[in-house]
Amino acid sequence: MASLQTNDLTIGYKDRVIASGLDITLFPGKVTAMLGENGAGKSTLIKTLTGEIKPLGGSIEICGKPLESYTPASLAKTIAIVTTGDIQAGGLRVKELVGLGRQPHTGFFGRLSAFDKRIVEEAMQSVGISHKADSYVATLSDGERQKALIARAIAQQTPLILLDEPFSFLDVASRVEILSLLIGSARENGTTILFSSHDVAQALRMADDILLFTPESGVTQASPLQLISSGRIKDLFPDRDVIFDSTQNDFVSTLSYPHKI
């Protein structure tokens, strides 16, 4: 059974349609990357899939059930979300922020059991933020804060994790390490991962599937190999001074510059 499925989905706002006719299927154990220019609709899609924005048309099923049938509590046990937006958690310590990921499982009072605390510690270790466990979130760098938010999502232990530009503030090594961690979680635990990114090369190398947002063709779901071999990946940045270089699996400038080392 698919973890997430949309049928003829239209996303956008009352005064503007962003994308329509979206038929998306995400399966357990798979990692899907969303690629598209700024404003293409990646964030809008994530907000729609999580119920933050109502779809303008079509349907969304999460683990075989209509999205609208979920209560906020049951949805929190099903989908974990990571965004790059500001969080009002500066007064919390890192371990407390990550501990919020256990809230859907801890009941009304939110007290962490020994089991919950172990999950929180393991989540912090997995993203390399344990050494900041007692630090206040307000004192973290952007990259450290992003790692803490990803740890919170991991601690939530949901079948789906949706991440909106999760690697924006991370250096290259951290991006690779955390994406490898998410891939490992998908394979070992059957987690479904969907993330948006502007790192084309990394997405093509590491994701199982790509959701490609293009001005001309709308949204296409295909494997990286299918997008490259068909040439569809070249439609990602039309009318820009870049071309897709298949030897690097990335976009490069059409302008020629001398390089000195």
Side-chain angles (χ1 to χ4, degrees), residues 25-215:
T25 305
L26 305 180
F27 288 102
K30 299 294 184 181
V31 176
T32 301
M34 288 193 289
L35 297 176
E37 292 186 283
N38 286 332
K42 302 185 298 298
S43 295
T44 302
L45 177 59
I46 286 180
K47 290 177 180 178
T48 305
L49 296 178
T50 59
E52 183 177 342
I53 297 175
K54 289 186 178 180
L56 299 181
S59 63
I60 302 169
E61 286 191 355
I62 307 292
C63 297
K65 296 169 51 180
L67 175 60
E68 60 269 22
S69 71
Y70 281 84
T71 65
S74 62
L75 194 61
K77 292 182 179 179
T78 309
I79 301 177
I81 309 164
V82 178
T83 68
T84 54
D86 292 334
I87 57 169
Q88 304 301 316
L92 294 180
R93 298 182 189 274
V94 169
K95 63 185 178 185
E96 293 170 334
L97 173 61
V98 178
L100 292 177
R102 298 304 302 160
Q103 196 168 48
H105 309 280
T106 55
F108 180 78
F109 293 104
R111 292 171 181 162
L112 299 186
S113 66
F115 174 74
D116 294 314
K117 291 177 181 178
R118 179 167 59 82
I119 291 174
V120 169
E121 177 58 34
E122 289 174 351
M124 290 190 295
Q125 287 179 356
S126 68
V127 301
I129 200 70
S130 292
H131 63 293
K132 294 285 187 176
D134 292 312
S135 299
Y136 287 103
V137 174
T139 68
L140 301 182
S141 68
D142 288 337
E144 290 168 339
R145 189 179 301 112
Q146 199 64 14
K147 286 183 178 182
L149 291 173
I150 294 171
R152 182 183 65 180
I154 292 171
Q156 201 167 328
Q157 291 191 319
T158 56
L160 288 95
I161 300 179
L162 307 186
L163 307 99
D164 190 6
E165 307 244 4
F167 312 124
S168 297
F169 300 119
L170 302 180
D171 58 41
V172 174
S174 293
R175 291 181 191 181
V176 173
E177 289 169 353
I178 290 179
L179 184 50
S180 296
L181 167 72
L182 293 173
I183 291 172
S185 176
R187 303 291 188 266
E188 295 170 19
N189 305 315
T191 310
T192 301
I193 308 288
L194 174 66
F195 71 94
S196 62
S197 177
H198 287 294
D199 192 332
V200 175
Q202 185 185 61
L204 292 175
R205 282 195 304 268
M206 303 185 75
D208 298 301
D209 252 0
I210 303 290
L211 288 181
L212 187 70
F213 286 69
T214 61

